[in-house]
Amino acid sequence: MKYTSTIAFVIIIVALITSFVIISKRNSPNKPSSEAITSFAQCLASKKLTMYGAAWCSHCKKEKALFGDAFKYIPYVECPENEKLCLDKGVNGYPTWIDGAGVKYVGEQGLDGLAKISGCPLPN
């Protein structure tokens, strides 16, 4: 009797773990390739979309993390090091994205938002 209970318990645990793994994979979005992110970042740069932020800003860190190594292509201004420029641009919060026409987009935009703002194709 004890042996049967142990086997049933193990089967239930394995089923729960398997279900968790399947659900996790189904709910996690596919991450775009680094090449696609690089192309997207370069497109944003060509549209003169600039991010204004601060190294200590958690929202800026999230936005930067979306690009990984490709963030180096994004025009970026570190506001604590460039206070006058940021004040002149009217940056009141971080991150703030400003396009070539001077239109401001305050807060995290994510890849979807940046694609809508810029017209750059969203990386797959």
Side-chain angles (χ1 to χ4, degrees):
M1 181 76 163
K2 186 175 180 181
Y3 179 74
T4 306
S5 297
T6 303
I7 290 176
F9 179 74
V10 169
I11 290 172
I12 290 171
I13 295 299
V14 169
L16 287 172
I17 291 171
T18 302
S19 297
F20 177 76
V21 169
I22 290 170
I23 290 170
S24 294
K25 286 189 179 199
R26 188 179 312 150
N27 290 338
S28 67
N30 292 333
K31 186 176 180 183
S33 70
S34 62
E35 293 84 14
I37 291 292
T38 297
S39 291
F40 185 65
Q42 291 170 332
C43 181
L44 295 177
S46 75
K47 303 284 183 152
K48 309 230 183 300
L49 193 60
T50 302
M51 180 180 158
Y52 295 80
W56 50 260
C57 165
S58 62
H59 297 287
C60 299
K61 288 177 185 177
K62 285 183 190 175
E63 205 87 304
K64 290 176 183 179
L66 295 173
F67 293 93
D69 291 339
F71 188 75
K72 66 186 173 194
Y73 298 106
I74 301 292
Y76 175 73
V77 176
E78 180 69 21
C79 284
E81 295 173 7
N82 300 282
E83 287 183 48
K84 182 170 178 6
L85 175 62
C86 292
L87 289 172
D88 290 347
K89 294 283 187 179
V91 175
N92 295 318
Y94 307 131
T96 295
W97 292 85
I98 301 179
D99 67 17
V103 178
K104 288 187 276 187
Y105 305 89
V106 180
E108 286 181 58
Q109 300 302 313
L111 297 180
D112 290 336
L114 293 170
K116 287 177 188 168
I117 290 167
S118 65
C120 293
L122 192 62
N124 301 356

